[in-house]
Structure formats: C-alpha cells, structure tokens
Amino acid sequence: MCDPGTDLVTCPYNIAHSIQRRRFDNHLMKCSKNYPNIKLMTCKFNTKHRIKAEDHEKHMMVCEDKAAHDARILQARRMNSIPVTKVHIQDNKPQDLDDDEEDWGLEAQRNPNTYNPTEAAANKNVIRTSGLKNATPSERKLFRKQEKERLERIEQEQNGGGSQNNIPGLNYK
C-alpha cells in the first residue's frame, strides 16, 4: 500500500493513484464515492486501511497499528485497576449558579462597575463610527458634526488650552 522511503501512498480503489500521505484521507473519501462498486472494509485500528472482505481477518491479525491500539487498551485497564481515593473539595462558587452554566447578567448585576466600551470611547480621542449604522444622511451629518466637536473638546482638554503649535502625537504634560 505504501512505497518505502517516499511520502506517496497507493490508493486501494485504483492502483494508478499515488497520493501524498497528508492528502490521503481526502482522497479515500473521494475514491470511495467514485468507485461504489468496489466494496472495501475499514480497519478498526486505522481508518486509512481499506481491505477486501476476504483479507479482513488476516489484516486484523497483522495490522501494524494493532500494537498501539492494544497498548492504549492495556494502559486504560491499568489505570482503572489503580485504587483512587476520593477527596472532598470545598466549592466556593455561589450556590445559585449551576456548575455547567455561566450567568453573565447575574455577574453584571453583582459588579456594576464593569467596563462599558461605548462610554470609554466617548472620553478618548478616537474616531467612533457606531452611530453611523443604518442612519439617514441627515443623521450621519449630525453625528459627524457632534464627533468633530467632541474631538476638539478632548483635544483642548489634553492640551490644557495651550498654544496651537503642538506636535501631533506628542503628549504634553
């Protein structure tokens, strides 16, 4: 099925197909649809292994991925045989919340000083556009006028009403 020393794999549906190993999964799905008359069984140890029904039992005995599968099963059995002591951990979560669910509304009510991005942007020298969504032309014009006034006011507050010959981007103290 594989060419030794290369990264190419031969398709079980059509031996003329040589596919890169990383694309083999997608190719198998396409070829299984393109060749519905070829009935191949899938190996339970590796889904990339497609085998004829008469060779399935033999393959299951000699499959190279069987060892890794058996090792995982053995490890799981060992882990189940180790006695586990249960420890009670006190939970400090509020009792009104379910373990699996979060309630952001309840958390916001408990902590009213949460971050409000609209309010924070209104007090900063940034260009806002949220007021322009689905607005009429006159509303957009009014919003731009108010934004210009807001930005000028913030600029004056930052400069302390000083001279107009300031260097842009330089914060004066």
Side-chain angles (χ1 to χ4, degrees), residues 123-142:
N123 299 323
K124 293 184 180 177
N125 191 4
V126 295
I127 298 173
R128 300 181 305 167
T129 60
S130 62
L132 300 177
K133 292 180 182 174
N134 300 324
T136 64
S138 61
E139 291 171 334
R140 289 194 296 265
K141 185 176 181 180
L142 177 64

Side-chain angles (χ1 to χ4, degrees), residues 10-88:
T10 304
C11 175
Y13 291 96
N14 186 339
I15 59 171
H17 295 171
S18 292
I19 307 98
Q20 292 178 350
R21 189 176 304 277
R22 63 185 175 90
R23 296 182 177 196
F24 191 57
D25 287 333
N26 292 337
H27 180 83
L28 278 176
M29 291 188 62
K30 289 178 184 177
C31 260
S32 66
K33 291 177 184 175
N34 291 340
Y35 297 97
N37 56 340
I38 299 176
K39 302 293 183 198
L40 297 177
M41 297 182 72
T42 304
C43 174
K44 74 175 187 176
F45 305 122
N46 186 341
T47 57
K48 294 179 185 179
H49 295 173
R50 303 291 168 95
I51 311 106
K52 294 179 184 176
E54 59 267 10
D55 296 336
H56 188 258
E57 288 296 323
K58 180 182 175 191
H59 174 81
M60 297 306 267
M61 298 303 248
V62 296
C63 179
E64 65 245 15
D65 294 318
K66 181 180 180 184
H69 181 267
D70 290 345
R72 283 191 299 270
I73 290 174
L74 185 60
Q75 181 68 23
R77 286 183 183 160
R78 285 183 186 155
M79 293 303 289
N80 289 339
S81 66
I82 298 173
V84 178
T85 57
K86 294 187 179 184
V87 178
H88 178 68

Side-chain angles (χ1 to χ4, degrees), residues 134-172:
N134 300 324
T136 64
S138 61
E139 291 171 334
R140 289 194 296 265
K141 185 176 181 180
L142 177 64
F143 178 79
R144 284 192 297 268
K145 180 183 174 191
Q146 291 172 345
E147 276 297 287
K148 185 176 179 182
E149 292 170 357
R150 182 185 70 83
L151 291 171
E152 287 173 355
R153 182 176 26 81
I154 290 173
E155 188 72 29
Q156 286 178 355
E157 289 173 2
Q158 286 179 346
N159 293 335
S163 72
Q164 297 298 323
N165 296 332
N166 293 334
I167 300 171
L170 182 62
N171 293 328
Y172 292 90

